[in-house]
Amino acid sequence: MKKIPMKNPIVEMDGDEMTRVLWKLIKDELLLPYINLKTDYYDLGLKNRDRTDDEVTLEAASATLKHKVAVKCATITPNADRVLEYGLKKMYKSPNGTIRAALDGTVFRKPIVVKGIEPAVKYWNKPITIARHAYGDIYKDSEIRIPDKGTVSMTYVPDEGDELSAVKVFHFDSPGVVLGMYNTDDSIRKFAKSCFDYALETKQDLWFSTKDTISKTYDHRFKDIFNEEYENSYKASFEEKGIFYFYTLIDDAIARVMKSEGGFLWALKNYDGDVISDMVSSAFGSLAMMTSVLVSPSGCYEYEAAHGTVQRHYYKYLKGERTSTNSVATIFAWTGALKKRAEFDDNNRLKEFAELLEEVTKQTIEDGEMTGDLARITSNPKPVVLNSDEFIQAIKRRLEDRIEEI
Ligand code: NAP
Ligand code: MG
């Protein structure tokens, strides 16, 4: 077979530990033999981030703004232990946080559904995609521990003019805690737009939920901005595609989701999305079966697996032991990026290849060959448990069988 050519590159961000091991295997076995892979490579492994004072992360983010499509391997976010383990110059910030800040995007997380790995909620037969607003709220809050009696108030001081506005938050008669958080219309609007665009692109209904009945100014602002965007810019295209936008209170949404059959996009505020995406992913089976894509308002796409670097498996690997680490989400990060590149470059063979790779990956599991994490939860009575290499080889065999189709 003649290798598939690529017109423009994908930004490739290499990473750490077990996922770095899988990354190389996936490229060597499943991509390079079939594609003349063009990537703009950045090594975001912790050692190289340290060597470059984390400049490499910023460079990778700017390259993403330039080339529009990126794929990222999981990376270590250093804590005190990692500073010692790697002898780091400092405790660098999360690369994902840095990239998100540069791209200003929304994170969409979607489970990969295969037969034999049934969701814990029996009605769900289509994936539920979570769109998490990745800016502000408690992730950028200010908090005070109140030691004793006293009043807390909130004051807005305009940069120009001297019209102060203040509200009393609470008068404490005894010790307690207080929290102040914010968001901006601009960020909320970009979040809304990415959600409406993604719903249109994937032809799915969009749900959005907050607690606006209780938070009559804060959460209500989110609700109003979503409504404005829908009415002014998206209603006609939604109607044309036969999909709908639906707002409801978060508690009502949760009750409805549990009884739904899935197959929609669920937009959530930052904290809600953080918490609920972990629940939804584990209810669909495994964190290793969840893809994640960061979509920026300027039309850039960064694909990755939703899980981390699988540190525990890596330490076994370093000792020469065999691991059974699931590479599905990392494979789907690559296919997501290849499909988007194919769409931008009008490269039909590349699109077909990525779709075939996804199909044979799912087929491998449906045929009963899988890694340990899935073997523990499958409804298949006799799964064959493969190690990390064997699983990729099992996918490759099926790919080889069908590669001439494209
Ligand atoms: P993790 O890497 O997601 O792994 C947690 C556990 O989940 C693993 O020990 C394993 O369970 C299971 N697991 C996750 N992915 C798996 C896979 N592909 N195949 C099989 N099992 C899998 O989370 P962590 O151990 O908390 O974090 C490790 C490092 O990853 C940290 O340094 C963290 O900073 C980083 N991290 C990076 C990202 C990112 O780059 N997007 C996201 C999260 C965390 P068993 O051990 O029970 O087999
Ligand atoms: Mg979380």
Side-chain angles (χ1 to χ4, degrees), residues 97-109:
T98 305
I99 295 165
R100 234 177 264 155
L103 266 62
D104 189 9
T106 301
V107 175
F108 297 90
R109 285 186 156 194

Side-chain angles (χ1 to χ4, degrees), residues 109 132 139 273-275 277-278:
R109 285 186 156 194
R132 170 182 169 192
Y139 302 85
D274 182 354
V275 176
S277 68
D278 281 10

Side-chain angles (χ1 to χ4, degrees), residues 78-88 90:
N79 55 16
D81 291 343
R82 301 297 203 161
V83 173
L84 287 178
E85 184 183 350
Y86 284 80
L88 301 179
K90 60 184 226 197

Side-chain angles (χ1 to χ4, degrees), residues 104-109 129-134 187-209 222 225-226 229-230 234 238 243-246 264-269 293 295-297 301:
D104 189 9
T106 301
V107 175
F108 297 90
R109 285 186 156 194
T129 306
I130 303 280
R132 170 182 169 192
H133 186 206
S187 176
I188 301 167
R189 198 171 299 282
K190 284 175 174 162
F191 171 49
K193 280 180 173 300
S194 329
C195 293
F196 286 117
D197 287 338
Y198 193 85
L200 281 173
E201 192 188 319
T202 56
K203 210 164 176 273
Q204 298 183 86
D205 296 333
L206 172 64
W207 297 24
F208 180 47
S209 51
F222 280 77
I225 290 176
F226 266 73
E229 283 300 321
Y230 181 66
Y234 290 95
F238 265 55
I243 55 176
F244 63 83
Y245 168 61
F246 169 61
F264 53 88
L265 174 63
W266 186 9
L268 290 158
K269 287 173 61 201
V293 54
V295 181
S296 84
Y301 293 74

Side-chain angles (χ1 to χ4, degrees), residues 3-250:
K3 282 197 194 182
I4 299 163
M6 282 178 71
K7 227 178 279 171
N8 291 301
I10 287 173
V11 177
E12 174 186 355
M13 306 182 200
D14 210 341
D16 288 300
E17 301 195 311
M18 203 58 214
T19 38
R20 189 180 179 100
V21 176
L22 297 179
W23 195 259
K24 182 164 183 336
L25 269 174
I26 292 168
K27 277 179 69 182
D28 289 348
E29 301 297 327
L30 303 176
L31 303 175
L32 292 169
Y34 311 104
I35 307 171
N36 273 326
L37 196 64
K38 252 194 187 174
T39 70
D40 188 5
Y41 179 88
Y42 295 85
D43 183 0
L44 265 56
L46 189 50
K47 281 183 199 142
N48 196 44
R49 275 183 276 151
D50 192 44
R51 197 181 59 77
T52 62
D53 298 312
D54 211 16
E55 274 299 312
V56 67
T57 309
L58 291 172
E59 285 167 13
S62 345
T64 306
L65 288 167
K66 180 171 159 209
H67 297 301
K68 305 279 185 204
V69 184
V71 59
K72 180 180 168 292
C73 178
T75 45
I76 293 169
T77 298
N79 55 16
D81 291 343
R82 301 297 203 161
V83 173
L84 287 178
E85 184 183 350
Y86 284 80
L88 301 179
K89 286 182 245 169
K90 60 184 226 197
M91 204 187 295
Y92 300 98
K93 287 193 179 149
S94 147
N96 284 31
T98 305
I99 295 165
R100 234 177 264 155
L103 266 62
D104 189 9
T106 301
V107 175
F108 297 90
R109 285 186 156 194
K110 182 180 169 193
I112 301 154
V113 179
V114 295
K115 289 193 204 85
I117 310 295
E118 271 75 36
V121 179
K122 66 178 179 201
Y123 311 109
W124 292 356
N125 57 40
K126 293 181 204 153
I128 295 170
T129 306
I130 303 280
R132 170 182 169 192
H133 186 206
Y135 178 83
D137 294 359
I138 63 161
Y139 302 85
K140 290 279 178 197
D141 71 352
S142 307
E143 306 186 2
I144 316 174
R145 170 95 175 83
I146 304 297
D148 208 341
K149 289 182 188 173
T151 303
V152 173
S153 58
M154 222 165 36
T155 315
Y156 163 63
V157 186
D159 280 352
E160 274 157 40
D162 46 14
E163 194 71 15
L164 295 187
S165 45
V167 285
K168 179 173 145 189
V169 175
F170 191 62
H171 176 263
F172 286 88
D173 285 324
S174 60
V177 280
V178 71
L179 168 159
M181 67 182 199
Y182 67 91
N183 225 301
T184 65
D185 281 13
D186 182 48
S187 176
I188 301 167
R189 198 171 299 282
K190 284 175 174 162
F191 171 49
K193 280 180 173 300
S194 329
C195 293
F196 286 117
D197 287 338
Y198 193 85
L200 281 173
E201 192 188 319
T202 56
K203 210 164 176 273
Q204 298 183 86
D205 296 333
L206 172 64
W207 297 24
F208 180 47
S209 51
T210 71
K211 194 72 181 174
D212 68 288
T213 46
I214 299 298
S215 173
K216 290 186 192 304
T217 304
Y218 200 104
D219 279 17
H220 215 288
R221 191 73 198 124
F222 280 77
K223 177 182 175 182
D224 288 346
I225 290 176
F226 266 73
N227 269 340
E228 277 167 32
E229 283 300 321
Y230 181 66
E231 291 296 330
N232 298 338
S233 311
Y234 290 95
K235 197 172 178 187
S237 350
F238 265 55
E239 284 172 0
E240 207 174 288
K241 285 234 166 161
I243 55 176
F244 63 83
Y245 168 61
F246 169 61
Y247 176 85
T248 189
L249 280 175
I250 188 152

Side-chain angles (χ1 to χ4, degrees), residues 72 74-75 77 82 96 288 304 307-310 312-313 325-326:
K72 180 180 168 292
T75 45
T77 298
R82 301 297 203 161
N96 284 31
E304 63 174 334
H307 59 78
T309 60
V310 214
R312 201 182 65 82
H313 295 210
T325 318
N326 187 338

